[in-house]
Amino acid sequence: MTASTVVAVPNARREAWRLRLRGARDFARRFLRRRDGLVGVLVLLVFAVVAIAPGLFVGPLETAVSATGLPLDPPSSAHVLGTDELGRDMLNLTIHGARISMTIGLLATLITIFFGAVIGIVAGYLGGWADTALMRLTDFFLVLPTFVLAIILAPVLLEIIGTDAEFLGIKATLLVIVAVIGITSWATTARIIRSQVLSVKERMFVDRARVIGSGSGRIMRRHIFPNVVNLIVAQSVLTFATAVFTETTLSFIGLGDPFQPSWGQILNLAQATGAPGLGAWWYILPPAACVVLVVLAFTLVGNALDDVLNPRAGVRR
Amino acid sequence: MGSRYLGRKLSQAALTIVAIVILNFLLFRAMPGSPERILLRNPHITQEQLEAVRARWGLDRPLIPDQLVDYIASTATGDLGYSLKFQGKPVVDVIADSLWPTVLLIGLGELVAITIGLSIGAYAGWKRGGVVDRVGSGISLILYSMPYFVIGMPLIIIFAAGLHWFPTSGMTSVGGRPTDPIGQLVDLGRHLVLPLVTVALGLIGSYSIIMRSAILETRSEDYMTTARAKGISDVRQLRSHALPNALLPMVTIIAINLGYVVAGAITAEIVFNWPGLGSLTVTALSARDYPVLQGVFLLLSVAVVLANLVADVVYGLLDPRVRS
């Protein structure tokens, strides 16, 4: 009896690994068939490399002091993408903008998904009054015009934490943008994850875990979470798209940091300079194209992942 | 329609509005620096004077419930305080001045986008895999990924700065504005074209994507198989079976979308210097005019809640299944 238990444990473990490996291979095969998803991954890889080491491509970020060109110069051999109103090289600004936009997008996504997942899992698993209360809160945030809330929340948060605060070298203004996106956009994720949890918790293994005496916290971590992690991954990628989109918009209306220019902040400066009316297309096209490419790529990858990981979700978009 | 359904939806909407007002109250009380310190920037002020001011504004009373109740009461009677930026003008007047340009822009933009977006989506979904589907879905996805100002800026560069077909900004000509009503209307129209196209394009992307999937969903329903089996024509299958069912969820989606439309319109207004709520929001934001920001937030959230309420009621009228 004891002998068979000792033998069974490593076997079960090996079996689990074998299943996981097969799952991963299966996933890779199905994802590789999605051409749109692959194009998205490729675009994102390029932007990731650029965002990790912008200095490698264009040197340090140009400032008003270290500007290398004439003001609002159209593209030339010295400045392939032209210059802004301070004479800064647009290629330099755009590539450094990638780092800032993507970092804010990533941090905002992490916060959004964390809150969305925790609230969704807790509400779905516990049910009862906790579920009712959390879902009322979720509905409230879903119906609010979250972008307008973000606009008024940002200056208030900035007053609370103070403009001099800094975290990991990121200035207060940008931290506030991260926080504001997180606060205003977790609701969709919470709803989607909750509905998945509702069906997972009816499955047999949850009952079994409860019967052998596992607590709610352990069941949520060890049994519910692994079964919604697919959904969380797909949702993270889609959230990243919205986070970059929202960051760009918030920076554009003047909530960004001029000394750490994201793409939205560059477009804000372009608008303030009157670049569109002057026909200075080179000031607008590079950051605008980057935003669209990144948001589009994340959306494509997110949709492909969603289809591959949740085949029964059916036709979406 | 069942009065219980209506009652439930009405009370939900009322509760949400109360929650919005409370959020608005708490948010601006959470800021450091009590209101009287901002307004009395005088270092020589005595304790007695400060007390007097606090008493006059009711700041000496507890935040909750006294001040909150006062706030809700004055909000309910339409008193939203006074603007800091616009020489102490009442917030209600400041907002009323910029309301109608936004209503015009969003209203017409929605109308154009609903007509075009739903048509493209329905056709693309019906002829799945066809030319319209592939090109239309591709363009829709790209438009869906573009913030409104990213759509508007190139439009200015091409059609205003480049071709000089339309003015670059504003709602009316500054000099030489026509005096006759028809001339003025034409002038307004010329200024309206580009912002309107921007808002409409921004919306067409998401509307056609959603409509396409709604049509695709109805196509797999049993009643569509029945309709095909009866041998009715393709056009009638679409018009009298697929479309009505696919349009049903669109009612809710368009209402829910209103919050995003408003957000998009804010950035479109900035690009075109359109004198609406969006431009007002940005002016108030850069001047840290909190009463105006609060007022704009209140107005827009209440508008979205009411739009959702209307959508729920309309949906209930159209589809008896949701009333139970």
Side-chain angles (χ1 to χ4, degrees):
Chain A
M1 189 63 205
T2 24
S4 75
T5 325
V6 170
V7 175
V9 170
N11 268 352
R13 223 167 251 173
R14 204 178 305 153
E15 182 67 11
W17 272 110
R18 211 174 57 78
L19 278 175
R20 246 171 248 170
L21 205 72
R22 202 173 64 192
R25 250 205 322 265
D26 204 40
F27 162 75
R29 209 184 48 239
R30 276 192 293 172
F31 188 81
L32 286 176
R33 245 184 275 150
R34 289 290 300 243
R35 219 184 310 154
D36 51 349
L38 286 180
V39 171
V41 168
L42 203 70
V43 172
L44 291 183
L45 277 179
V46 172
F47 276 102
V49 170
V50 167
I52 288 167
L56 219 62
F57 300 92
V58 289
L61 177 67
E62 286 187 17
T63 60
V65 184
S66 66
T68 51
L70 296 166
L72 272 189
D73 215 10
S76 62
S77 54
H79 302 281
V80 262
L81 293 178
T83 62
D84 75 349
E85 85 280 7
L86 296 171
R88 291 180 293 183
D89 184 61
M90 276 313 296
L91 183 66
N92 180 293
L93 283 185
T94 308
I95 284 192
H96 280 277
R99 168 175 233 161
I100 293 148
S101 291
M102 304 280 275
T103 309
I104 299 179
L106 180 67
L107 292 177
T109 304
L110 291 178
I111 294 183
T112 306
I113 292 296
F114 178 77
F115 282 113
V118 168
I119 291 177
I121 291 176
V122 169
Y125 180 74
L126 291 184
W129 66 267
D131 183 32
T132 312
L134 287 174
M135 280 305 114
R136 276 286 140 78
L137 189 69
T138 309
D139 284 343
F140 180 62
F141 272 90
L142 279 177
V143 80
L144 277 188
T146 44
F147 180 74
V148 187
L149 177 61
I151 292 178
I152 63 163
L153 208 52
V156 173
L157 278 186
L158 200 59
E159 299 242 4
I160 292 173
I161 70 167
T163 37
D164 302 323
E166 223 182 76
F167 178 73
L168 296 174
I170 306 168
K171 297 241 180 70
T173 344
L174 302 186
L175 289 177
V176 162
I177 291 195
V178 169
V180 154
I181 297 176
I183 293 171
T184 54
S185 51
W186 54 270
T188 324
T189 308
R191 260 231 166 255
I192 293 172
I193 290 184
R194 171 182 171 270
S195 64
Q196 179 88 355
V197 170
L198 285 182
S199 81
V200 170
K201 81 167 176 183
E202 297 304 326
R203 306 242 299 265
M204 192 63 87
F205 58 82
V206 177
D207 284 338
R208 286 183 186 146
R210 208 177 296 135
V211 165
I212 62 163
S214 302
S216 293
R218 191 183 157 80
I219 294 180
M220 282 189 264
R221 273 196 315 272
R222 298 297 299 266
H223 299 285
I224 304 282
F225 174 73
N227 281 288
V228 294
V229 77
N230 282 355
L231 200 62
I232 293 178
V233 169
Q235 196 56 31
S236 306
V237 176
L238 288 172
T239 304
F240 210 130
T242 6
V244 171
F245 193 99
T246 313
E247 187 279 326
T248 307
T249 313
L250 289 176
S251 303
F252 175 73
I253 63 164
L255 289 168
D257 183 345
F259 299 104
Q260 290 183 326
S262 66
W263 293 321
Q265 176 66 31
I266 300 174
L267 290 168
N268 168 278
L269 293 174
Q271 175 66 28
T273 314
L278 295 168
W281 55 269
W282 61 90
Y283 198 166
I284 291 157
L285 189 65
C290 287
V291 171
V292 178
L293 269 178
V294 166
V295 174
L296 188 62
F298 273 117
T299 310
L300 288 176
V301 176
N303 284 346
L305 277 179
D306 209 25
D307 289 351
V308 171
L309 294 174
N310 311 296
R312 265 178 296 170
V315 215
R316 263 197 208 158
R317 299 171 183 277
Chain B
M1 176 162 28
S3 60
R4 272 193 40 212
Y5 174 77
L6 192 65
R8 202 175 65 227
K9 290 291 167 198
L10 271 174
S11 59
Q12 272 173 6
L15 262 178
T16 311
I17 289 175
V18 171
I20 288 169
V21 173
I22 294 175
L23 176 72
N24 222 348
F25 172 79
L26 293 178
L27 208 58
F28 289 90
R29 297 305 182 281
M31 279 193 299
S34 45
E36 77 271 17
R37 246 198 10 236
I38 295 172
L39 285 154
L40 297 175
R41 290 209 175 105
N42 184 351
H44 305 298
I45 194 150
T46 64
Q47 194 59 38
E48 288 79 45
Q49 285 169 313
L50 202 65
E51 294 296 328
V53 169
R54 286 176 64 89
R56 198 174 83 214
W57 287 340
L59 294 169
D60 53 346
R61 292 187 299 147
L63 204 58
I64 295 170
D66 290 37
Q67 288 194 40
L68 177 61
V69 169
D70 276 359
Y71 179 77
I72 293 178
S74 55
T75 304
T77 53
D79 176 9
L80 298 181
Y82 299 89
S83 161
L84 306 175
K85 157 94 181 159
F86 300 99
Q87 285 96 34
K89 230 168 121 178
V91 168
V92 174
D93 294 355
V94 173
I95 290 179
D97 287 345
S98 23
L99 186 59
W100 105 262
T102 299
V103 170
L104 179 75
L105 186 59
I106 292 183
L108 284 178
E110 281 272 13
L111 212 62
V112 173
I114 288 172
T115 321
I116 298 178
L118 297 194
S119 314
I120 294 177
Y123 192 86
W126 194 244
K127 306 255 177 194
R128 187 181 184 181
V131 182
V132 175
D133 184 22
R134 271 191 255 160
V135 176
S137 300
I139 294 177
S140 296
L141 205 55
I142 293 173
L143 285 176
Y144 178 73
S145 313
M146 293 172 92
Y148 287 37
F149 58 94
V150 167
I151 301 174
M153 288 168 126
L155 288 180
I156 294 187
I157 294 178
I158 298 169
F159 297 106
L163 298 168
H164 296 291
W165 288 359
F166 303 105
T168 51
S169 74
M171 195 165 138
T172 49
S173 300
V174 179
R177 186 163 177 247
T179 44
D180 56 310
I182 292 177
Q184 282 183 354
L185 205 63
V186 171
D187 187 51
L188 174 68
R190 269 170 47 81
H191 283 83
L192 181 64
V193 171
L194 291 183
L196 180 63
V197 170
T198 304
V199 171
L201 280 178
L203 280 170
I204 284 174
S206 49
Y207 284 171
S208 75
I209 289 172
I210 298 165
M211 185 66 190
R212 175 177 177 273
S213 68
I215 285 277
L216 284 179
E217 249 160 59
T218 58
R219 284 186 62 173
S220 57
E221 295 279 354
D222 286 343
Y223 55 76
M224 289 309 293
T225 316
T226 312
R228 245 188 320 275
K230 278 197 300 189
I232 62 173
S233 72
D234 207 46
V235 179
R236 264 198 62 196
Q237 278 179 39
L238 174 65
R239 209 176 45 210
S240 38
H241 293 268
L243 269 186
N245 286 292
L247 282 173
L248 210 52
M250 295 308 290
V251 177
T252 320
I253 285 163
I254 288 169
I256 291 173
N257 222 4
L258 190 68
Y260 297 97
V261 181
V262 168
I266 288 178
T267 64
E269 284 184 9
I270 299 166
V271 171
F272 293 98
N273 209 0
W274 188 258
L277 287 176
S279 300
L280 175 69
T281 306
V282 173
T283 314
L285 186 65
S286 57
R288 295 292 188 264
D289 189 345
Y290 291 114
V292 168
L293 285 179
Q294 243 176 325
V296 170
F297 175 63
L298 184 68
L299 171 73
L300 295 179
S301 0
V302 169
V304 172
V305 172
L306 291 182
N308 276 296
L309 178 66
V310 171
D312 280 338
V313 171
V314 171
Y315 204 120
L317 283 174
L318 294 176
D319 188 345
R321 282 170 301 183
V322 300
R323 269 179 259 158
S324 50

